[in-house]
Amino acid sequence: MRKDLGDMMRLLNATYDLTRRVERRETELRDDIELMVKMALGGTLANMQTVLENSLSRIEDSVRTVLQRVETLEGKV
């Protein structure tokens, strides 16, 4: 009976230790995944910002060109 009780206590302790290790690893994985998602989103957002800035710059250049043409035409009239 004592041997069985000792075995059961060892198994209980081993189960408890395993559960703690699994919970710790789960937390580490969650942190790793969170960091990966943040990095992926950050890169995507930076790329999107660059594309938008380039598009806006082209639009501004077009507006400047049209404005110059209008000013030139108004000067001739």
Side-chain angles (χ1 to χ4, degrees), residues 52-66:
L52 289 172
E53 287 174 351
N54 290 339
S55 296
L56 184 58
S57 179
R58 284 194 306 271
I59 291 169
E60 289 172 342
D61 290 342
S62 296
V63 169
R64 270 192 218 98
T65 302
V66 169

